[in-house]
Amino acid sequence: MKKIILAGVLMFVVSFFAVGPLWAQTSASVQAGVAAAVQGDVKITTEGSPARVLKSGDPVLMGDRIETEKDGKLQILLLDQTVFTLGPLSAVAIDEFVYDPANDEGKVKASMLKGIFRVVSGKVAHKKPENMTVDLPAGSIGFRGTNVGGVIDGQKTMIVLLGPVGVGRIYVTNTVNGQVIGVDIDQAGNATIVDGPNSGPIPVFQV
């Protein structure tokens, strides 16, 4: 595990200095991060291009969709140190990424589409939590600097606050009859479930 983390950090640093200021690039070429610890069959689709095999060290652009097959898994290291980990048969899209390393201002928005995932929030969420969101098939997660796991089954998602203990929180919401309904989770090991569209998150429970 230590080797995987070290390799990821090194790739992040190399990518950071190679990319330069993200706001100077066109929206079609903004590098959001890099792929790390890729195992098995993982595909990436960039808008306007066919899906291709993703390998460790490959860049991940804003707008890319990454999908793992039954033997696939990986980490996606964004340039603000946000980390997405995907298990088999999972998919995520990097919808929006803006980051200024000079002051850690920016915006991170992604969509978890299916499967098993973990998200560790980075500098954007730590600086301004409202600037990072992860959408689900139904509902979304707002971050307050923490580590979150989830399992998506169709349009149903279970979301678990993983920790660290006593640090961070998440706010899980969904729109029900035109109103946003949400639950706040601030204890590691607590969870909620969003059953689908027009369904509010269920009361928080211990996993």
Side-chain angles (χ1 to χ4, degrees):
M1 178 60 70
K2 289 182 178 178
K3 290 182 179 179
I4 292 174
I5 294 173
L6 179 59
V9 170
L10 288 174
M11 282 188 286
F12 164 78
V13 172
V14 171
S15 177
F16 181 91
F17 287 105
V19 173
L22 295 181
W23 55 89
Q25 303 177 55
T26 65
S27 60
S29 64
V30 170
Q31 182 172 352
V34 294
V38 177
Q39 299 180 36
D41 190 4
V42 180
K43 298 290 195 309
I44 183 169
T45 304
T46 299
E47 187 175 357
S49 302
R52 63 187 187 280
V53 173
L54 184 67
K55 304 182 295 298
S56 292
D58 284 352
V60 174
L61 306 181
M62 184 172 72
D64 280 353
R65 173 183 168 131
I66 298 94
E67 184 167 359
T68 62
E69 299 299 329
K70 62 181 179 180
D71 63 341
K73 54 185 177 180
L74 83 155
Q75 290 183 330
I76 301 166
L77 310 176
L78 300 189
L79 298 181
D80 78 320
Q81 299 181 12
T82 297
V83 181
F84 290 87
T85 302
L86 270 64
L89 298 174
S90 303
V92 64
I94 308 302
D95 300 318
E96 187 173 357
F97 185 81
V98 179
Y99 178 55
D100 183 349
N103 55 21
D104 293 333
E105 294 281 355
K107 188 170 185 180
V108 177
K109 188 174 186 297
S111 296
M112 293 304 314
L113 306 171
K114 65 177 183 177
I116 304 166
F117 65 90
R118 185 179 69 180
V119 184
V120 180
S121 57
K123 291 186 175 181
V124 167
H126 284 265
K127 179 69 177 286
K128 193 173 289 187
E130 62 269 26
N131 283 356
M132 178 176 174
T133 57
V134 172
D135 288 338
L136 306 167
S140 66
I141 309 171
F143 288 77
R144 300 297 183 268
T146 193
N147 183 357
V148 178
V151 180
I152 299 171
D153 181 10
Q155 293 188 311
K156 178 180 180 178
T157 307
M158 181 173 76
I159 306 101
V160 184
L161 180 61
L162 299 177
V165 175
V167 178
R169 62 201 303 152
I170 56 174
Y171 190 56
V172 180
T173 62
N174 198 17
T175 302
V176 180
N177 298 324
Q179 292 188 321
V180 176
I181 305 297
V183 295
D184 192 59
I185 304 178
D186 60 3
Q187 295 292 323
N190 281 358
T192 186
I193 293 173
V194 180
D195 282 319
N198 208 44
S199 177
I202 70 170
V204 175
F205 62 94
Q206 182 74 27
V207 176

